[in-house]
Amino acid sequence: MVSVINTVDTSHEDMIHDAQMDYYGTRLATCSSDRSVKIFDVRNGGQILIADLRGHEGPVWQVAWAHPMYGNILASCSYDRKVIIWKEENGTWEKTYEYTGHDSSVNSVCWAPHDYGLLLACGSSDGAISLLSYGGEGQWEVKKINNAHTIGCNAVSWAPAVVPGSLVDQPSGQKPNYIKKFASGGCDNLIKLWKEEEDGQWKEDQKLEAHSDWVRDVAWAPSIGLPTSTIASCSQDGRVFIWTCDDASGNTWSPRLLHKFNDVVWHVSWSITANILAVSGGDNKVTLWKESVDGQWMCISDVNKGQGSVSAITEGQQNEQ
Amino acid sequence: MEELDGEPTLTLIPGINSKKRQMCFDWGPGEMLVCETLFKKKEKEEKVLGCPFIYIVRKDIDVYSRILRKLFNESHSIFVGLQRIEEESAGKSRKAQLVRVSKNYRSVIRACMEEMHQVAIAAQDPVCGRQYSSQVSILSAMELIWNLCEILFIEVAPAGPLLLHLLDWVRLHVCEMDGLSADVLGSENPNKHENFWNLPGNTQTLTELELKWQHWHEECERHLQDGTFASNPHLESLCKVMLGDDNALLEQKELLSNWYHFLVTRLLYSHPTVKPIELHFYAQSSLDLFLGGDSGPEPLDNILMAAFEFDIHQVIKECSIALSNWWFVAHLTDLLDHCKLLHSHNLYFGSNMREFLLLEYASGLFAHHSLWQLGVDYFDHCPELGRVYLELHIERIPLNTEQKALKVLRICERRQMTEQVRSICKILAMKAVCNNRLGSALSWSIRAKDAAFATLVSDRFLKDYCERGSFSDLDLIDNLGPAMMLSDRLTFLGKYREFHRLYGEKRFLDAASLLLSLMTSQIAPRSFWMTLLTDALPLLEQKQVIFSAEQTYELMQCLEDLTTGRPEPRDLEGQRPQDDDIETTKVEMLRLALARNLARAIVKEGTLEGS
C-alpha cells in the first residue's frame, strides 16, 4: 500500500524538473524551469521554505545533496551551462562555487561516495563529463573528460565505494586505496564505465551497448556486500536494462531486459537497500520493480498521476484493504 | 522478463490531469517523492504552469498507527525470545515451547484487536470508526489464519484432537450463535463429545473412539428411520444434521457464518476422526458447497485452503499479497522456520524466505522515529544480509538529539560497524562546528579519528584564543591524553594549553622549555610563532633568569626566521599600515628583551653557582 503522507507546495512558477530528499528525509530540494532552486524542511509532515536560491540563468535540471559529513551542501546544474554548489553557512544558504567549464547545458550531477571526499561528477550536452573535487579552503580542482559521449551526456552515476581487501582501522591521515568508478549514459546510445587511474586521470573502462536510442538515465545500485555489481539504464527506446557483473574485476557485464515500455523512459533510481527499482517515464507513470524470490523482476506497484481522491493519512488511521 | 502474478497495485496521485506531463521520482530514506514534470527538455518554452506540488508518499504507513505500535513492540519481545530458544531441546518439550510462542503471538494480536475495537466504537467521526473497524477485521483474519497454522503446522494435531482444535478454532471466531441451533451447530455438543471421548487424558485409542462414534451414529440413524422425530420437522432436520447430512446442514446456512464453520460442523457429524491429510478434500468440497457458485473464493478463503492443503509456501505467498504490511508473514514464517518446516527456499541472492521477509519487515520499521530500534534486533537475526541492511539503514537515522546520536553510535560500536561509527562522528563534528560548539566538534573528530577535521577545529580554537585571549572548553583540551597525537595541530593546541597551565602554576622553567620546543620542533604553525614569542616576553622580563643562554639564542633564531622571510603572504587578511607598525614595535621589543636576557644568562652561567 502506498499513501500520500505530505504534499509540499513548492510555489515554483514553472515546470519542476527534479526533487530530491536529503540523506535523512528531513529536507527537500527542488529545481525548476523558473531558474530557482528551493529547499524545504519537511519534517513531521510540514513544509517550511528554508531557501530560495537564485543564480542560474536558465531552467535548472537536477539537484543533488552531498553527504551530511561535509555539512549542508547542494549541487545544481542547468541549461545555462553552469554547475553551482550551494552551502549552508551560519544558517543561511549561499553559493559557494560556480563552475562554468561546459559549452552546453549540464544535464546531470551526482556526488561520489563520501569516502572519496567531496567529489561531483557532471554530465553535459557538450559531450563532456567534469569532475569537481574539493581541495579545502574554498578550492575546487577540476578534471574534464572531453568527448565522453558524442552529441551529449545525459546521466552520471557513481559506483558504491569498495575497498580492495579489508578495511582495517586505517591510521589517521592515510587514505585507503579506493578504485573510483562511475557510469555515464549518452546520446550515442551507450553506457560507459569510467575508472580513475593511479595517476589521477580518468579512463574509459567499459562500454555497455544494448540500447537503440539515447540513454536517458543510469543508476548504479548500492552495494549489499555481494560480489556482484548492478546498473540500471533506461532509454529513449523505451527499454530498461539491468546490467550485472559477477566478477570482482568488473569486466563482464550482462544485460537483462526489465521491460519494454511504450514510451521514452526518463529516470531509473534504486531504493537505499537496492531491492526496489523505480522507473519513471513511459505512460506518465512511475513503476516500482522488485526482484522476486526466484530471481525474476516483477512490477510491484504503479504510481500513477491522475484524478481521484487520496485520503490524507493521519496517525492512527488505516487505509481500507 | 517480468512475470506478473497479478496486477500491480495502482496508486493514483491527485494532480492536474494532463496527458502531456510525466512524473518525477526520488527515493527518500523511508519514503518516495513524486511530482509532475515534463522530461523533454526544451530550451525555450513559454512558461507552462505545471502542478507545483511535490507529493511525499510512503509505503508501510502501519508503523504510524499508535495501536499497532503495541503489536510491533510486544511481538518484538516474543521474536527475540524465540531466537534464543535452545537448539538442543527437541521433541515434546521443544514443540511445547513453540506452541507457547505461537499462542503468545496470537494473544498479542487479540489484545491489539480488542483495543482497536474499543477505539472504533468510541470514534466520533464515522469515517474514522469505519477505518478502525476494518482494521479490526484484518487483525481478526490474521488471528484466524495464525490459529489454523498453529493447529496444523505447530501443534500438528493428530486425528481425534484435530477436530477438537478445529472446533475451538471455529468457536473463537464465530460470534453469532443462538439457541438450539447453536447447540447443534457446534457449541454445546463438543462438551458432550469431550465427555464422551474422555479427553484430554487420551486414554482411548483412535479405533476405540471410532467404534463408539459409529455406535452412536447408528443409533441416531435408527431413530430417524423409526420416525421418532416425525412429529417435529425441526427435530428431524436436527437429527439429519447430526447424521452428517450435508443438505440438511446447508439448509441452516444462515446460521453458519462461513464455509470453514460448515466444514468443521460437517466433520463433527460425519467424520470426527478425520486425519490431517484428509482435511483438504473436505475443505474443498465444503467451500464449493457453501459458496454454491454464488461467488468466488476471497483471498482469506484461498489462504485457509492452502493451509488445509499443508502448502505452507502458498499460505505465506498469499498472505504476503493480501496483507498491507510484512508483520504477519515475517513473524509467522520465522516461527515456522524454527519448527523446521520451511525447505531452504533459496533466493537468487542467497538469502532464504524467512530472511527475505524479516528484512522487508525490519526495513519498514526504520521509517519510524523510534520503532527503528526494534528493527535492529531483526536485522541481527538475519545471517546473510542483516548486517549490511543495518549498515545502510542506520546511517539514515536523523541525529536530531545528542541522545539519539549516542544511541545509534552504541548500536554501531557493539557490532563493530567502524565505518558507520566514523561516518556518524564526522557528521556530528560538522554539525557542532556549524553551531560553534567547538568542544563538541573536537570530541567528535577525535572519536571519528578524523585528523583533518581535528586540525580544522584546533585552528578554530587557536583563532578564538587570539581573538579573545582565552580558551573555551579547557577541560576537554586539558584531558586530551593520547588523542592529542591525532593531528599536529591538535598536539600543538594541547601543548600550548599545557604551556599556559605551567605558567599559571609558576613552573616557569618547564613552561619556557615547552614554549621553545613548540617552535623548534615545528609543531607550532608559523602563523602562530609571533604569538608564542610574545608569550615569551613575560618570561624574559622576570627577575630571575629563566631562559638559558642557549635557549635565548634559539629564540633569537626563531625571531630572525620569522622576520626575514618577509614579505610573505600575510596570515591575517588585509593588514593595515598601523598593523605593520605594531608588528615592528613588537619585534623591536622582543629583540630588546632577548638581548637583555642573553646578557643576564651569560653572566649567570659564567658565575660559580650558575647552572
Side-chain angles (χ1 to χ4, degrees):
Chain A
M1 294 297 121
V2 162
S3 319
V4 176
I5 58 166
N6 193 0
T7 305
V8 177
D9 182 356
T10 62
S11 302
H12 273 299
E13 294 161 354
D14 204 333
M15 189 65 62
I16 298 173
H17 290 290
D18 197 13
Q20 295 279 322
M21 267 313 203
D22 76 344
Y23 204 65
Y24 300 116
T26 50
R27 284 184 172 180
L28 171 66
T30 62
C31 61
S32 156
S33 274
D34 70 4
R35 305 172 177 194
S36 72
V37 172
K38 296 194 186 189
I39 301 177
F40 299 87
D41 179 325
V42 291
R43 281 175 294 184
N44 302 320
Q47 63 166 94
I48 304 170
L49 178 67
I50 298 174
D52 185 343
L53 306 170
R54 309 275 166 166
H56 281 295
E57 289 151 351
V60 187
W61 301 131
Q62 272 193 12
V63 283
W65 289 95
H67 192 277
M69 72 167 61
Y70 298 109
N72 287 325
I73 297 179
L74 186 72
S76 62
C77 64
S78 157
Y79 173 72
D80 69 358
R81 297 174 276 158
K82 291 198 277 202
V83 173
I84 299 182
I85 298 177
W86 314 85
K87 188 173 164 129
E88 190 181 27
E89 290 273 25
N90 302 320
T92 45
W93 281 87
E94 283 156 7
K95 188 192 299 196
T96 184
Y97 179 61
E98 188 175 286
Y99 173 65
T100 49
H102 281 291
D103 306 320
S104 195
S105 169
V106 183
N107 302 319
S108 176
V109 278
C110 183
W111 290 101
H114 67 83
D115 319 66
Y116 303 165
L118 206 50
L119 172 60
L120 184 72
C122 322
S124 164
S125 288
D126 67 5
I129 297 173
S130 308
L131 292 132
L132 313 180
S133 160
Y134 185 63
E137 294 176 27
Q139 297 307 310
W140 290 81
E141 189 195 309
V142 178
K143 286 197 188 138
K144 206 163 174 210
I145 305 172
N146 285 307
N147 292 317
H149 291 273
T150 48
I151 311 176
C153 172
N154 294 323
V156 281
S157 172
W158 286 91
V162 170
V163 182
S166 64
L167 184 63
V168 178
D169 236 348
Q170 295 282 339
S172 58
Q174 260 192 21
K175 286 231 153 94
N177 286 331
Y178 290 106
I179 300 176
K180 300 179 192 160
K181 284 193 197 173
F182 71 91
S184 65
C187 301
D188 50 7
N189 308 350
L190 296 173
I191 296 149
K192 292 192 180 178
L193 306 186
W194 305 88
K195 191 159 97 168
E196 193 191 42
E197 301 279 279
E198 288 192 8
D199 58 358
Q201 294 309 308
W202 288 87
K203 202 178 80 123
E204 183 186 310
D205 188 50
Q206 291 276 309
K207 212 183 296 217
L208 307 181
E209 292 185 64
H211 287 292
S212 54
D213 206 335
W214 292 13
V215 177
R216 281 291 170 190
D217 201 8
V218 285
W220 205 311
S223 165
I224 48 168
L226 299 171
T228 47
S229 297
T230 310
I231 296 176
S233 68
C234 66
S235 157
Q236 200 87 18
D237 67 9
R239 292 190 176 83
V240 175
F241 281 103
I242 310 270
W243 302 82
T244 43
C245 174
D246 285 330
D247 59 298
S249 58
N251 288 335
T252 23
W253 289 84
S254 356
R256 238 167 94 182
L257 180 69
L258 176 79
H259 189 62
K260 165 119 185 17
F261 291 84
N262 297 326
D263 203 338
V264 181
V265 185
W266 296 93
H267 276 306
V268 280
S269 67
W270 294 96
S271 62
I272 63 166
T273 44
N275 58 343
I276 307 181
L277 179 70
V279 178
S280 50
D283 323 339
N284 299 351
K285 287 196 281 201
V286 173
T287 43
L288 303 179
W289 298 79
K290 194 172 190 157
E291 198 167 20
S292 71
V293 182
D294 44 10
Q296 297 300 316
W297 282 91
M298 34 183 290
C299 183
I300 58 167
S301 187
D302 254 322
V303 182
N304 199 341
K305 194 178 55 51
Q307 281 169 336
S309 62
V310 173
S311 52
I313 304 298
T314 56
E315 181 154 8
Q317 289 180 340
Q318 179 68 37
N319 251 351
E320 286 189 23
Q321 278 255 278
Chain B
M1 279 296 239
E2 80 289 4
E3 296 277 331
L4 300 177
D5 251 334
E7 285 305 300
T9 32
L10 188 67
T11 305
L12 293 172
I13 308 291
I16 303 165
N17 189 5
S18 162
K19 297 281 193 287
K20 297 202 197 95
R21 306 286 161 75
Q22 289 100 34
M23 284 180 89
C24 182
F25 180 94
D26 177 45
W27 287 102
E31 59 283 293
M32 299 170 268
L33 297 178
V34 290
C35 72
E36 184 187 271
T37 189
L38 193 58
F39 285 118
K40 197 153 188 74
K41 294 172 160 102
K42 292 206 185 74
E43 311 77 24
K44 187 72 196 116
E45 49 181 65
E46 341 69 58
K47 234 186 218 189
V48 187
L49 193 57
C51 175
F53 293 106
I54 309 274
Y55 299 94
I56 300 179
V57 163
R58 198 192 278 282
K59 299 190 303 169
D60 302 321
I61 50 150
D62 289 356
V63 279
Y64 287 89
S65 160
R66 185 183 47 82
I67 300 168
L68 286 181
R69 199 169 306 161
K70 247 185 241 165
L71 181 73
F72 300 138
N73 270 305
E74 286 169 15
S75 59
H76 163 261
S77 319
I78 302 172
F79 172 83
V80 172
L82 173 60
Q83 310 309 309
R84 297 194 185 135
I85 283 182
E86 295 299 307
E87 275 297 321
E88 299 94 61
S89 69
K92 264 186 148 165
S93 73
R94 183 178 170 80
K95 183 166 113 165
Q97 272 180 317
L98 294 169
V99 169
R100 214 164 26 240
V101 169
S102 181
K103 288 193 195 305
N104 281 340
Y105 274 126
R106 286 197 295 119
S107 72
V108 165
I109 299 175
R110 292 201 80 84
C112 188
M113 232 168 82
E114 188 47 50
E115 191 180 338
M116 200 157 297
H117 180 63
Q118 295 304 322
V119 174
I121 298 174
Q124 309 231 321
D125 171 16
V127 173
C128 237
R130 270 198 296 281
Q131 287 184 331
Y132 279 122
S133 296
S134 128
Q135 184 66 46
V136 172
S137 336
I138 295 169
L139 286 167
S140 172
M142 294 205 297
E143 208 263 327
L144 180 77
I145 300 166
W146 195 303
N147 200 345
L148 183 61
C149 289
E150 182 184 302
I151 296 168
L152 298 176
F153 308 140
I154 306 175
E155 185 84 64
V156 197
L162 176 60
L163 183 61
L164 288 177
H165 282 294
L166 287 175
L167 279 166
D168 279 336
W169 172 64
V170 161
R171 203 175 1 178
L172 208 55
H173 291 91
V174 175
C175 308
E176 295 90 57
M177 289 289 208
D178 64 88
L180 186 63
S181 321
D183 285 351
V184 178
L185 293 169
S187 65
E188 292 234 358
N189 271 358
N191 288 334
K192 294 193 186 134
H193 276 255
E194 267 171 49
N195 294 337
F196 190 69
W197 289 1
N198 212 24
L199 288 162
N202 233 354
T203 51
Q204 303 173 63
T205 65
L206 203 58
T207 332
E208 286 173 7
L209 289 173
E210 267 186 341
L211 277 171
K212 276 197 192 165
W213 181 84
Q214 272 295 94
H215 185 81
W216 171 85
H217 189 97
E218 277 157 17
E219 204 178 308
C220 273
E221 222 160 17
R222 239 195 336 273
H223 277 297
L224 188 66
Q225 271 159 18
D226 292 349
T228 320
F229 304 115
S231 52
N232 189 332
H234 191 63
L235 276 176
E236 195 169 62
S237 96
L238 220 59
C239 191
K240 281 191 188 158
V241 166
M242 288 173 77
L243 285 171
D245 183 334
D246 286 343
N247 290 322
L249 193 52
L250 276 170
E251 277 166 25
Q252 308 296 328
K253 200 170 163 178
E254 320 85 63
L255 295 167
L256 295 166
S257 353
N258 45 52
W259 66 273
Y260 39 96
H261 188 180
F262 176 50
L263 163 68
V264 175
T265 315
R266 273 176 89 200
L267 289 172
L268 177 64
Y269 294 115
S270 63
H271 201 67
T273 53
V274 62
K275 298 195 191 62
I277 49 164
E278 295 169 339
L279 268 179
H280 79 274
F281 291 121
Y282 291 100
Q284 188 62 60
S285 59
S286 303
L287 176 63
D288 294 336
L289 283 169
F290 194 83
L291 292 179
D294 290 338
S295 51
E298 310 240 311
L300 177 60
D301 301 328
N302 292 330
I303 295 168
L304 296 174
M305 190 59 67
F308 285 123
E309 288 165 4
F310 284 82
D311 188 348
I312 296 180
H313 287 110
Q314 189 67 17
V315 171
I316 295 168
K317 183 173 165 186
E318 300 261 359
C319 288
S320 306
I321 297 170
L323 294 168
S324 68
N325 79 37
W326 298 98
W327 179 88
F328 182 80
V329 282
H331 288 87
L332 180 62
T333 308
D334 172 61
L335 179 57
L336 294 175
D337 189 50
H338 275 85
C339 300
K340 309 265 191 281
L341 289 172
L342 301 180
H343 308 298
S344 171
H345 201 107
N346 272 317
L347 299 176
Y348 157 69
F349 48 85
S351 185
N352 61 28
M353 172 83 81
R354 166 194 172 270
E355 180 159 325
F356 178 82
L357 296 171
L358 286 174
L359 290 172
E360 290 287 345
Y361 172 65
S363 298
L365 289 175
F366 269 85
H368 190 269
H369 61 84
S370 70
L371 286 178
W372 63 269
Q373 296 168 79
L374 304 180
V376 175
D377 288 317
Y378 287 95
F379 282 142
D380 279 346
H381 290 104
C382 292
E384 300 255 355
L385 295 174
R387 190 189 167 85
V388 69
Y389 265 62
L390 179 59
E391 286 172 3
L392 290 168
H393 275 108
I394 207 155
E395 279 192 313
R396 301 293 188 128
I397 294 173
L399 308 166
N400 2 30
T401 63
E402 176 107 350
Q403 210 186 15
K404 201 170 184 187
L406 289 170
K407 203 180 277 192
V408 172
L409 277 172
R410 248 199 312 276
I411 290 170
C412 294
E413 277 164 354
R414 274 205 206 113
R415 292 159 179 78
Q416 280 101 46
M417 288 164 45
T418 40
E419 278 313 295
Q420 281 66 36
V421 170
R422 199 170 289 164
S423 169
I424 291 168
C425 289
K426 283 189 188 182
I427 294 169
L428 292 168
M430 176 60 82
K431 255 177 143 171
V433 160
C434 290
N435 291 327
N436 236 342
R437 292 180 289 118
L438 295 181
S440 187
L442 191 58
S443 317
W444 288 121
S445 341
I446 290 172
R447 200 161 168 181
K449 298 200 179 62
D450 187 353
F453 212 75
T455 302
L456 198 144
V457 181
S458 306
D459 271 335
R460 285 279 292 265
F461 267 113
L462 293 167
K463 187 157 154 256
D464 264 4
Y465 169 77
C466 286
E467 283 167 17
R468 294 201 315 232
S470 66
F471 284 109
S472 55
D473 302 282
L474 284 176
D475 265 347
L476 177 64
I477 305 173
D478 284 344
N479 294 306
L480 284 172
M484 215 191 284
M485 298 303 156
L486 182 61
S487 98
D488 277 353
R489 195 55 49 82
L490 183 58
T491 313
F492 170 64
L493 178 67
K495 293 283 174 200
Y496 186 53
R497 168 61 201 148
E498 196 183 322
F499 161 72
H500 280 273
R501 258 200 359 257
L502 290 170
Y503 188 92
E505 289 166 16
K506 298 202 189 316
R507 292 165 54 188
F508 297 127
L509 289 170
D510 292 331
S513 304
L514 180 56
L515 187 65
L516 183 57
S517 72
L518 287 177
M519 282 183 282
T520 52
S521 64
Q522 304 291 330
I523 279 191
R526 269 296 160 104
S527 51
F528 218 76
W529 279 21
M530 208 51 199
T531 313
L532 291 175
L533 288 166
T534 318
D535 282 333
L537 267 175
L539 290 170
L540 293 164
E541 320 261 84
Q542 292 274 338
K543 263 224 300 251
Q544 65 201 115
V545 175
I546 298 170
F547 284 104
S548 71
E550 195 179 320
Q551 286 177 323
T552 315
Y553 279 126
E554 287 188 83
L555 281 171
M556 285 169 150
Q557 185 66 56
C558 291
L559 183 58
E560 289 319 304
D561 278 349
L562 202 56
T563 47
T564 48
R566 298 223 176 139
E568 48 184 43
R570 294 280 196 252
D571 305 297
L572 307 166
E573 45 277 40
Q575 273 194 319
R576 299 152 300 173
Q578 299 99 296
D579 291 342
D580 264 352
D581 278 345
I582 295 174
E583 282 302 297
T584 330
T585 320
K586 258 202 227 164
V587 171
E588 286 308 312
M589 273 176 66
L590 275 166
R591 288 216 174 98
L592 186 58
L594 284 166
R596 274 213 292 266
N597 192 71
L598 184 60
R600 294 195 295 153
I602 292 174
V603 167
K604 181 176 170 207
E605 281 158 36
T607 64
L608 277 162
E609 317 87 66
S611 58

